[in-house]
Amino acid sequence: MTEPANHAAPSERTRVRRIPTNAHYDTATLHAIIDDAYLCHIAFADEKGAHCIPTACWREGNHLYIHGSNGSRMLKRLTESETCVTITHLDGLVMARSAFNHSMNYRSAMIYGRFEVVADEAERRSTMAAFMEKLVPGRQAEIRPGSDKEFAATTVMRIALGEAACKVRSGPPEDDEEDMNWPVWAGVLPFERVAMKPVVDPQCTQPAPAYVVSWQKW
Amino acid sequence: MTEPANHAAPSERTRVRRIPTNAHYDTATLHAIIDDAYLCHIAFADEKGAHCIPTACWREGNHLYIHGSNGSRMLKRLTESETCVTITHLDGLVMARSAFNHSMNYRSAMIYGRFEVVADEAERRSTMAAFMEKLVPGRQAEIRPGSDKEFAATTVMRIALGEAACKVRSGPPEDDEEDMNWPVWAGVLPFERVAMKPVVDPQCTQPAPAYVVSWQKW
């Protein structure tokens, strides 16, 4: 079912306590969970309490990147305090024989630390290009590039992936021995994020490139 | 594209500042976003900083419910401080003509407040049944019900939906007039969460009920 934890937690606050056998602390698992995501949820606290904000993200090397307007409240707060970034993929509903052994299959990653502003102009531009390349490989060369004014109005931030923990559940339900003969179907109802038919902008007069034509999964 | 905000924000901390035309403060939008979700992300802060934890959720009336083991660190913390619960559905990648007008279509809900423990035993049992009914309508009657011991080991909590804000983006990209003739395809690459083929537990000898047979969307 689940592989054993393959490394120790990098810190006390990343040590998984609930079902620690589902914990993963290796880089490959962490990178795979991030790279399969288009957005993350970021928790931070200010004088109004805790906030949980969804935002687009991407990875380069051992950092997770986000961006936003210079005026963003969240971006300002993120350099001032520790934060927790979480990504969760729901992979299925786990149907057990007993009510309390029902579960969900998922892959989640939590990253702790502090964001830093990417100040170097060349690095800002190159990582924004990497973001576009993640969204749609090949599109960067076709679009109207960002202007100096647009780049100047945008803040790019990153957080190191050194203090992170992943938790993964996969596979069938796990019922107690005495429930195994309960007369009910047991198994997993899987979910997938599926690419649907592209919707052309009504004002678009350009032909669809290969990546648009091939977008629809079925 | 986007409807105008239909009500005022219920509080200062739920007032959407970034692209306020995408804000929705009405109950119907909030309920629809919650009811389409199986999990939420909960932000709270303790002496170690901010945390962002994914957990299963469901709605009854004007409350969002979660549950967990009595020993859960998060559940203990949640009665002690204000929290923010966020649900986000990613509906598509928005391909504009200019780099900086690229966006994502999404539906998100943020709920502020404080969780309370559901102490009444009848209410605990009835809302856990509602949770199962949400996961798989009809299954509650087939499974081995929760025992007194299992219920005693479980904490059920809820948060009122009175202080919440939704943000929704839908529709095509919005480019500036001077970019409209840039020679690139523009439109939306949609995503959907799709129900895939059920995976029977290898140890299951029971036939699949109608809701399992009908699970696979295509």
Side-chain angles (χ1 to χ4, degrees):
Chain A
M1 321 268 201
T2 315
E3 302 165 40
N6 35 23
H7 292 289
S11 65
E12 177 59 20
R13 65 181 171 181
T14 49
R15 187 167 60 80
V16 173
R17 289 161 182 79
R18 289 281 133 199
I19 319 182
T21 48
N22 285 353
H24 297 257
Y25 303 108
D26 62 297
T27 301
T29 301
L30 176 63
H31 287 188
I33 290 171
I34 297 173
D35 293 350
D36 193 29
Y38 293 95
L39 58 83
C40 59
H41 285 82
I42 302 184
F44 64 98
D46 64 13
E47 70 286 354
K48 289 177 189 154
H51 305 278
C52 183
I53 313 259
T55 195
C57 65
W58 67 100
R59 183 184 67 81
E60 276 202 288
N62 208 34
H63 286 86
L64 179 137
Y65 289 78
I66 62 172
H67 79 299
S69 159
N70 290 348
S72 158
R73 173 186 63 155
M74 177 176 77
L75 298 187
K76 280 180 198 158
R77 293 282 186 273
L78 288 183
T79 55
E80 295 162 6
S81 64
E82 294 286 295
T83 188
C84 175
V85 181
T86 301
I87 289 169
T88 309
H89 302 287
L90 176 63
D91 293 330
L93 306 179
V94 180
M95 304 287 114
R97 291 144 186 100
S98 72
F100 278 86
N101 278 316
H102 280 65
S103 186
M104 292 182 185
N105 282 339
Y106 63 91
R107 293 161 288 140
S108 71
M110 294 175 66
I111 302 142
Y112 283 92
R114 193 174 292 216
F115 276 91
E116 60 182 350
V117 171
V118 178
D120 181 78
E121 193 56 30
E123 194 184 339
R124 278 156 47 80
R125 290 180 183 243
S126 101
T127 199
M128 287 295 285
F131 178 32
M132 183 63 71
E133 185 66 14
K134 179 215 171 103
L135 291 175
V136 188
R139 187 167 171 88
Q140 179 69 26
E142 304 173 352
I143 53 177
R144 198 270 285 161
S147 66
D148 289 351
K149 188 179 165 190
E150 286 168 333
F151 273 104
T154 301
T155 300
V156 179
M157 301 183 80
R158 68 180 197 174
I159 187 170
L161 299 178
E163 191 180 352
C166 300
K167 211 167 166 185
V168 177
R169 194 208 184 280
S170 60
E174 295 182 18
D175 274 300
D176 298 331
E177 196 52 45
E178 60 265 31
D179 293 324
M180 290 302 286
N181 290 321
W182 195 273
V184 63
W185 185 88
V188 174
L189 302 178
F191 286 123
E192 266 186 35
R193 182 188 63 222
V194 172
M196 310 302 286
K197 189 177 182 199
V199 180
V200 64
D201 182 340
Q203 297 185 67
C204 175
T205 55
Q206 298 295 318
Y211 60 77
V212 170
V213 174
S214 67
W215 176 260
Q216 187 169 7
K217 190 167 171 178
W218 294 318
Chain B
M1 320 261 204
T2 314
E3 302 165 41
N6 35 21
H7 293 287
S11 67
E12 177 59 20
R13 65 182 171 180
T14 48
R15 187 168 59 82
V16 174
R17 289 162 181 77
R18 289 281 132 199
I19 319 182
T21 48
N22 285 353
H24 296 257
Y25 303 107
D26 63 298
T27 300
T29 302
L30 176 63
H31 287 188
I33 290 172
I34 296 173
D35 294 349
D36 193 30
Y38 293 94
L39 58 83
C40 59
H41 285 81
I42 302 184
F44 63 99
D46 63 12
E47 69 287 352
K48 289 175 189 157
H51 305 278
C52 184
I53 314 262
T55 195
C57 65
W58 68 100
R59 183 184 66 83
E60 277 202 287
N62 207 34
H63 285 87
L64 179 137
Y65 289 77
I66 62 172
H67 79 299
S69 160
N70 291 347
S72 159
R73 172 186 62 153
M74 177 176 77
L75 297 187
K76 279 179 198 158
R77 294 283 186 274
L78 288 183
T79 55
E80 295 163 5
S81 64
E82 294 286 295
T83 188
C84 175
V85 181
T86 301
I87 289 169
T88 310
H89 302 287
L90 175 64
D91 293 331
L93 306 179
V94 180
M95 303 288 114
R97 291 143 186 101
S98 73
F100 277 85
N101 279 317
H102 280 65
S103 186
M104 293 182 186
N105 282 340
Y106 63 90
R107 292 161 289 142
S108 71
M110 294 176 67
I111 301 142
Y112 284 92
R114 192 174 292 216
F115 276 91
E116 59 183 349
V117 171
V118 178
D120 181 78
E121 193 56 29
E123 195 183 340
R124 277 155 48 80
R125 291 181 184 242
S126 100
T127 199
M128 287 295 285
F131 178 32
M132 183 63 70
E133 185 67 15
K134 181 216 171 102
L135 291 175
V136 188
R139 187 168 172 87
Q140 180 69 25
E142 304 173 352
I143 52 177
R144 198 270 284 158
S147 66
D148 290 350
K149 190 178 163 189
E150 287 168 333
F151 272 105
T154 301
T155 299
V156 179
M157 302 182 79
R158 68 179 197 175
I159 187 170
L161 299 178
E163 191 181 351
C166 301
K167 210 168 165 184
V168 177
R169 194 211 184 279
S170 61
E174 295 183 19
D175 275 299
D176 298 330
E177 196 53 46
E178 60 265 33
D179 292 324
M180 291 302 287
N181 290 322
W182 194 273
V184 63
W185 185 89
V188 174
L189 301 178
F191 286 123
E192 267 186 34
R193 182 188 62 222
V194 171
M196 310 301 288
K197 190 177 181 204
V199 180
V200 64
D201 182 340
Q203 297 185 67
C204 175
T205 56
Q206 299 294 319
Y211 60 77
V212 171
V213 174
S214 68
W215 177 259
Q216 187 169 7
K217 190 167 171 177
W218 294 318

